[in-house]
Amino acid sequence: SKFVQVMNKLLKRLYVEAFFHGNVDRKDADEAASMISEALTHHHVGLPKKNLPTKLVIKTKHAIDHHQIIAPTIDLKDPNTAVEVYFQFAKDDNSSNAIQHRVLVDLLEHVMDEPLYNQIRTKEVFGYEVSCGARWTYGVLGMSFRVVTACKSAEAASSRIDDFLKSFRSELESMNNETFMEHLVGLAKNKLESFDSLEDETSSHWSEIIEGRYDFEAYRKEVLCLRSISKDQLIAAYDEWLHPLCKKGKPKKRRRMVVYVIGSGDGPASLGRPVMEKEQVVGDEIDCLVQQFHTSVKHESWGRVAFGSPELHRANTV
């Protein structure tokens, strides 16, 4: 009886979202939803959406310097060092302005990824893994740059990323219209590419539900927005978000965090590796470092990101 009491108490505060995808129609979906509701028993009153836990993203500080998290590899024998430089840009509330920002971030990735790899990985052999990518974290837009190396120090890898961001500005400016259009078309094709399987499509839809955006036509909207993007807008976004220098050539403020995970090799890659006491657990140390970051920015977050009413989307998702 105690178990029943506990379960009934839990069910009263349970929030359920159901997604039916594939060879079903609206009638099938409604019947399945009714079966789920009936299975929850009459004790279930539901949890209002406004009372769901809010996923808040902590703001990195807007400054010339940056917050740094340095941790050792969990595997004490791993000789590799990984560096990630993460930039935060803006909130994405799915408004027309936010969609434009989202498209510009994706376009920056499309334009920069190959030159970054070619210069730092292929020509300079800085590390065996070099990449950049757009980041979308619970409604906050950003971008990250990653280097994994066994021959360079974490500090050297981080500095090389920033040097690349300094020099790439001139490449953007000198890009001709034909090349710029090729990037626009290439990105549009990527966004409009058909899913390989029902599983992939379902995963894409579920991500919209989990993130709370409920925009199942996001890619189409982004492609339409791409048609109006100019090279000047791309350069302006690069200058605002990524370029280390202002117009006067002096260091400028950016929202940036740098994470080092330092290996235990014999070469430069192990420089700066934190010394751990035997009884210390690496995971506990990382938790402590994250907490220090939260404290350093006074726990300031981007706030709740509102995407509009999900009910408007549910009506057309079956």
Side-chain angles (χ1 to χ4, degrees), residues 87-101:
F87 294 89
Q88 285 183 338
F89 298 155
K91 287 174 71 170
D92 178 7
D93 58 4
N94 211 30
S95 64
S96 57
N97 189 53
I99 292 173
Q100 185 181 85
H101 284 166

Side-chain angles (χ1 to χ4, degrees), residues 122-171:
T122 305
K123 293 181 179 179
E124 300 177 15
V125 198
F126 228 85
Y128 65 85
E129 183 180 325
V130 176
S131 63
C132 67
R135 292 277 292 271
W136 196 93
T137 310
Y138 296 113
V140 177
L141 288 168
M143 194 168 187
S144 63
F145 297 79
R146 295 173 293 273
V147 173
V148 179
T149 179
C151 62
K152 301 289 184 180
S153 69
E155 187 66 35
S158 176
S159 297
R160 186 63 191 89
I161 290 171
D162 229 29
D163 288 340
F164 174 83
L165 292 175
K166 290 178 186 176
S167 62
F168 190 74
R169 171 64 166 74
S170 60
E171 291 190 37

Side-chain angles (χ1 to χ4, degrees), residues 15-18 26 47-50 52 93-94 208-216 304-318:
Y15 178 81
V16 178
E17 283 189 291
R26 185 57 183 258
L47 181 66
K49 192 172 183 65
K50 64 180 181 180
L52 289 177
D93 58 4
N94 211 30
E208 287 291 329
I209 296 169
I210 292 170
E211 297 285 0
R213 189 169 65 177
Y214 299 97
D215 188 352
F216 304 103
R304 186 166 186 167
V305 181
F307 300 111
S309 174
E311 284 75 20
L312 296 176
H313 300 286
R314 275 202 196 93
N316 298 308
T317 57
V318 177

Side-chain angles (χ1 to χ4, degrees), residues 255-315:
R255 293 196 183 278
R256 180 171 55 135
M257 171 187 278
V258 179
V259 179
Y260 297 165
V261 180
I262 302 179
S264 58
D266 296 328
S270 63
L271 291 176
R273 179 182 171 89
V275 178
M276 302 287 292
E277 299 295 336
K278 288 185 179 179
E279 63 272 16
Q280 271 186 302
V281 178
V282 175
D284 293 339
E285 175 65 12
I286 293 173
D287 288 342
C288 182
L289 293 170
V290 171
Q291 186 57 46
Q292 289 175 11
F293 162 64
H294 288 188
T295 302
S296 72
V297 296
K298 300 179 180 179
H299 300 275
E300 183 183 6
S301 76
W302 287 90
R304 186 166 186 167
V305 181
F307 300 111
S309 174
E311 284 75 20
L312 296 176
H313 300 286
R314 275 202 196 93

Side-chain angles (χ1 to χ4, degrees), residues 48-244:
K49 192 172 183 65
K50 64 180 181 180
N51 292 341
L52 289 177
T54 300
K55 299 179 178 70
L56 299 177
V57 179
I58 297 295
K59 274 187 178 181
T60 56
K61 62 181 179 181
H62 190 231
I64 292 175
D65 62 344
H66 57 270
H67 192 88
Q68 200 171 63
I69 292 181
I70 304 175
T73 52
I74 294 178
D75 183 354
L76 299 178
K77 297 181 181 179
D78 191 344
N80 298 303
T81 285
V83 173
E84 178 161 350
V85 180
Y86 168 56
F87 294 89
Q88 285 183 338
F89 298 155
K91 287 174 71 170
D92 178 7
D93 58 4
N94 211 30
S95 64
S96 57
N97 189 53
I99 292 173
Q100 185 181 85
H101 284 166
R102 200 159 69 222
V103 164
L104 285 167
V105 175
D106 289 340
L107 187 56
L108 282 170
E109 176 191 348
H110 197 273
V111 169
M112 296 176 67
D113 191 47
E114 186 176 336
L116 177 75
Y117 183 90
N118 185 49
Q119 182 63 41
I120 299 179
R121 170 65 179 89
T122 305
K123 293 181 179 179
E124 300 177 15
V125 198
F126 228 85
Y128 65 85
E129 183 180 325
V130 176
S131 63
C132 67
R135 292 277 292 271
W136 196 93
T137 310
Y138 296 113
V140 177
L141 288 168
M143 194 168 187
S144 63
F145 297 79
R146 295 173 293 273
V147 173
V148 179
T149 179
C151 62
K152 301 289 184 180
S153 69
E155 187 66 35
S158 176
S159 297
R160 186 63 191 89
I161 290 171
D162 229 29
D163 288 340
F164 174 83
L165 292 175
K166 290 178 186 176
S167 62
F168 190 74
R169 171 64 166 74
S170 60
E171 291 190 37
L172 267 184
E173 200 165 25
S174 62
M175 182 187 299
N176 59 47
N177 290 331
E178 182 180 354
T179 302
F180 177 72
M181 287 302 299
E182 288 174 357
H183 283 294
L184 285 180
V185 172
L187 180 58
K189 286 182 177 179
N190 290 345
K191 289 182 177 296
L192 294 176
E193 189 175 351
S194 299
F195 293 103
D196 292 331
S197 65
L198 183 65
E199 182 181 1
D200 287 346
E201 187 174 0
T202 299
S203 177
S204 176
H205 293 333
W206 258 122
S207 67
E208 287 291 329
I209 296 169
I210 292 170
E211 297 285 0
R213 189 169 65 177
Y214 299 97
D215 188 352
F216 304 103
E217 297 291 329
Y219 288 154
R220 295 178 186 272
K221 293 177 182 178
E222 290 166 6
V223 170
L224 289 174
C225 182
L226 270 173
R227 297 168 62 182
S228 64
I229 296 296
S230 68
K231 193 179 81 168
D232 288 341
Q233 287 176 300
L234 184 66
I235 294 174
Y238 184 87
D239 286 344
E240 179 183 354
W241 295 332
L242 295 173
H243 194 44

